[in-house]
Structure formats: structure tokens, C-alpha cells
Amino acid sequence: MNDIQNQDDLYLIVDEFYKKLLSDESISYIFTDVVKIHLEEHLPILVTFWSQAILGTGGYTNNLTQIHLDINEKEYLSPQLFKIWLNHFNTTIDEHFKGANSEKIKTQALSIATIMQIKIAQKNQ
């Protein structure tokens, strides 16, 4: 298995990852009912985010924390939802890639999920 090397690899990851999320009833409602994402618009944004985080390409300018805090205002993003999200994310990576960038993206995802949960807990106090 190859490591994550470029944006095409990242597109494969986010595409396969969202297929998992959207087919899992325990979390899909966040994307279909609460946020109502349009995948054709959302996936390139995610590729840009992960490309900046993993490949250092830059270009992502959104406030990731605020986006998730706004979603949390509509529907509580529980630790269980983050656990499901991480499980699908890591599974997707492990099914397709292996190497330093693959481990880096999984570590980054865990860090993001942890920070989001802390921010949500602080806001809900």
C-alpha cells in the first residue's frame, strides 16, 4: 500500500469517508438533516483542508472551530459522534494507505476531534 502523496489521494479519502458517514444512521443525520451538505461543494473544501494539514499546500481559510461550534448550536455534537467520525476516518485511511502521512492524518484527525470536544464542552458550560 502507498502512502498519501497528493490531492488525488486526499480526494479518494474524503469521498470514501463520506460514503461511510452517510451510510451510518448513527451519524448521517448530522450531514443530511442538520447541516444539509452538498458533497460536490463540500469535498473539495475538505481536500483543501487536509492538503494544507498533511501536505503543506495552504489554501484553507475557513474557521474550522467556529464551523463546528455553529453546528453544535443546531445539534449537540456528542463525544459519541466524534468517536464514530474518527472510527470511519481511520478505517478509510487504513483501507487505502500506509505510511508516515497516513499516520500523520490520523493523528491530526484525533487532535481536531479532541480540540472540538473541548471547545464544545467549554461553550456548553
Side-chain angles (χ1 to χ4, degrees):
M1 247 189 271
N2 292 329
D3 199 3
I4 300 165
Q5 298 174 12
N6 54 48
Q7 289 190 341
D8 289 340
D9 292 343
L10 293 168
Y11 190 89
L12 172 69
I13 290 166
V14 296
D15 187 47
E16 292 297 315
F17 172 55
Y18 268 80
K19 287 176 185 173
K20 287 177 175 42
L21 289 175
L22 294 173
S23 65
D24 183 338
E25 292 179 7
S26 64
I27 195 169
S28 63
Y29 71 96
I30 295 291
F31 303 96
T32 58
D33 300 338
V34 178
V35 179
K36 298 180 178 149
I37 63 165
H38 300 283
L39 279 180
E40 63 280 354
E41 297 169 11
H42 192 60
L43 293 185
I45 294 168
L46 292 173
V47 169
T48 300
F49 171 80
W50 286 115
S51 182
Q52 177 172 301
I54 303 306
L55 305 175
T57 57
Y60 185 82
T61 58
N62 296 336
N63 184 332
L64 186 65
T65 302
Q66 191 59 54
I67 290 168
H68 287 84
L69 290 174
D70 291 347
I71 295 167
N72 186 67
E73 290 292 317
K74 298 176 185 178
E75 180 73 27
Y76 175 55
L77 297 177
S78 68
Q80 181 62 24
L81 289 172
F82 281 100
K83 186 175 180 179
I84 294 165
W85 183 91
L86 275 171
N87 181 56
H88 286 309
F89 191 82
N90 290 339
T91 299
T92 302
I93 301 300
D94 292 341
E95 286 173 350
H96 298 281
F97 298 97
K98 185 175 186 169
N101 282 340
S102 301
E103 293 307 312
K104 182 178 177 182
I105 199 170
K106 291 189 292 185
T107 300
Q108 186 78 18
L110 176 60
S111 296
I112 291 166
T114 302
I115 290 166
M116 292 302 160
Q117 290 176 80
I118 291 167
K119 296 285 188 183
I120 287 167
Q122 288 172 342
K123 185 139 179 138
N124 289 343
Q125 287 181 342

